[in-house]
Amino acid sequence: MHALVGENGAGKSTLMKILYGMQKPDEGTITVGGEQVTFHSPADAIARGIGMVHQHFMLADNLTVLENVVLGSEKLYGIGAGARKKIKEISERYGLNVRPDALVEELGVADRQRVEILKVLYRGAKTLILDEPTAVLVPQEVDALFENLRELKSEGLSVIFISHKLGEVLSVADDITVIRRGTTVGTAVPSETTSRQLAEMMVGSELPTPETAESTVTDQAVLQVEGLTVYAAGGASLGAEAEPTATGLLTDLTDTTAGDVKRVLDDVTFTIHAGEVMGIAGVEGNGQTELIDALIGLKHADSGSIRFLGEDITPWPTRKRRERGVGYIPEDRHRHGLLLEAPLWENRILGHVTEKPNAKGFWLDPKAAQADTRRIVEQYDVRTPGIDVTAASLSGGNQQKLIVGREMSHRPKFLIAAHPTRGVDVGAQAQIWDQIREARREGLAVLLISADLDELIGLSDTLRVIYNGRLVADADPATITPEELGSAMTGAAAGHLERHEESEESGKDETR
């Protein structure tokens, strides 16, 4: 297992695209099994036993798991019983726990990742390229993935592992290569290297920490959510398992299925104050996406209310919420944060088309938007040759920095931050944390949803656990560990958690 690390824009993705036949090199050689090869397409790489799981998954949402796995490889095992048998065999062998007949659009991000790994193994890959494979997993799922990878390795498979989580790299890799600005700057042996040393090799600085020392929480309620409920037709399962089990703390969850309709958000109530970061911890697919969509106005709430600075914004469209001061860092930057084929300065306008500096009266102001894009590029260290290149030409981390810069530039009063540092290097991670902390000191209210439990614990003033569409427990960020939080997220009890109940008299949350 060979790890590849480097800051955003260092060339990791470009190198992997070359190894997978998506891009041709200008110089140099690739040797597979002692033979020099030239790849003209991913089909050539697959034929040589190379498979890649991209950071942004390559799945068709409207197809089932089985159909996605078989797509393009129908000749291997057919499209019926043979394919189903092979998928079941691979899934059980490596503990992937996928459901062949589930629609991909019903799956959380972690489940989609498992489908991608299954798809690669189905094609007979002997070398796996994994780009940020743990970005959306809780600690227990990370451990399970690493066990799967060790099993693959024991059977003679090779793994190229790209990650910004240096602790994980050191725990799982046999060798590490560090690249910076397209050049190899060093190699490391995990047993002889620390996270700090790796960080310094990558970006020339120490490993950052998300910890927030002082409290800035005020008494001013910025966002008040009361009884928010959202239904999904069909009774689709939430999370990785069709029937999640709960023990200990979370055993008293009521059935959230009514007939053939499922409550993907079930009577959610909370308040966020000025200067407060409220973290939501949960395994992907337990209602986080629906909560975000309801708050930003992309999904209709079937019952309940949302009040922003005292006003009932439940019926408001997204644009009106944005204009009043709701910022939004989406969990999927490609689907909801960017126009990939548009230049950077046009992406700077997205979501703020009626606001300065993008608009002057009723008209767009391209020159002002371009000038402000240059400021964001400089202030947030977006690595790009210019503001006229497309968003697709940037690395994932630089795309994320552009989005964060765009949202923070409008000085929102309430920020929905969904996985704000997903796929960014340690330097950019520290910068984004600093921006959130600074805005928090100035009174910003933040709803933070993240798969990085250290980030969630370190940045949050209050911390809630979401499970099966309900807020089921409160956690104390000052005392809880990532392992305890991860256990609660998956349905087990944790020592530093309290059951979350609503006060019938006051209608307010009972918090620690």
Side-chain angles (χ1 to χ4, degrees), residues 110-408:
D111 287 335
R112 295 182 186 218
Q113 182 194 70
R114 295 185 184 99
V115 175
E116 285 280 17
I117 293 175
L118 176 63
K119 187 170 69 173
V120 169
L121 296 174
Y122 183 86
R123 285 158 172 74
K126 300 299 181 184
T127 299
L128 276 67
I129 301 171
L130 304 181
D131 191 358
E132 295 286 346
T134 66
V136 297
L137 305 181
V138 299
Q140 290 82 356
E141 292 175 319
V142 171
D143 292 340
L145 172 64
F146 287 169
E147 282 301 315
N148 292 339
L149 296 183
R150 291 186 183 101
E151 180 65 26
L152 292 171
K153 191 176 69 167
S154 70
E155 297 186 9
L157 277 71
S158 303
V159 179
I160 300 176
F161 178 73
I162 303 172
S163 179
H164 289 110
K165 297 183 178 181
L166 303 186
E168 293 177 357
V169 168
L170 292 172
S171 71
V172 76
D174 297 301
D175 297 287
I176 303 170
T177 294
V178 182
I179 65 174
R180 185 191 304 157
R181 296 185 182 271
T183 301
T184 299
V185 296
T187 58
V189 178
S191 61
E192 302 171 359
T193 311
T194 66
S195 296
R196 176 175 295 183
Q197 290 170 329
L198 271 185
E200 290 175 348
M201 290 177 68
M202 286 170 54
V203 296
S205 60
E206 293 186 2
L207 196 66
T209 173
E211 291 182 5
T212 302
E214 76 289 351
S215 174
T216 59
V217 182
T218 69
D219 293 331
Q220 180 189 358
V222 174
L223 188 80
Q224 296 167 288
V225 175
E226 183 71 32
L228 196 65
T229 299
V230 175
Y231 290 91
S237 173
L238 298 173
E241 301 292 335
E243 293 293 337
T245 59
T247 59
L249 169 71
L250 308 181
T251 52
D252 63 341
L253 291 178
T254 58
D255 183 14
T256 57
T257 303
D260 62 348
V261 178
K262 189 175 186 70
R263 291 193 289 272
V264 291
L265 276 187
D266 185 17
D267 194 26
V268 171
T269 298
F270 61 84
T271 299
I272 307 179
H273 301 84
E276 178 182 8
V277 176
M278 190 183 90
I280 298 286
V283 176
E284 294 282 341
N286 275 277
Q288 300 95 315
T289 298
E290 290 77 13
L291 175 60
I292 293 169
D293 288 349
L295 293 180
I296 197 64
L298 295 175
K299 186 179 289 291
H300 171 71
D302 292 287
S303 64
S305 65
I306 305 169
R307 300 187 69 82
F308 176 54
L309 294 175
E311 287 189 88
D312 185 358
I313 67 170
T314 311
W316 287 11
T318 299
R319 173 173 160 178
K320 188 173 181 180
R321 301 184 194 204
R322 301 281 270 152
E323 290 174 341
R324 290 294 179 92
V326 178
Y328 178 39
I329 301 173
E331 61 179 331
D332 189 331
R333 52 181 168 258
H334 283 186
R335 296 179 67 187
H336 298 133
L338 297 167
L339 293 174
L340 292 175
E341 300 308 317
L344 301 190
W345 69 268
E346 289 186 8
N347 276 280
R348 188 264 171 270
I349 294 174
L350 292 182
H352 303 281
V353 68
T354 61
E355 303 170 53
K356 294 181 179 180
N358 304 321
K360 183 184 295 183
F362 292 103
W363 304 97
L364 286 177
D365 191 345
K367 289 186 177 180
Q370 290 166 359
D372 198 61
T373 305
R374 294 188 186 94
R375 177 193 62 78
I376 292 174
V377 165
E378 180 177 355
Q379 181 177 342
Y380 288 83
D381 190 29
V382 181
R383 305 289 174 84
T384 174
I387 64 169
D388 291 313
V389 303
T390 65
S393 68
L394 300 186
S395 69
N398 282 300
Q399 292 173 351
Q400 189 73 3
K401 287 190 281 187
L402 178 68
I403 292 171
V404 172
R406 175 182 70 200
E407 295 307 306
M408 301 303 286

Side-chain angles (χ1 to χ4, degrees), residues 481-496:
T481 67
E483 290 73 22
E484 290 169 334
L485 188 56
S487 294
M489 289 162 57
T490 54
H496 291 81

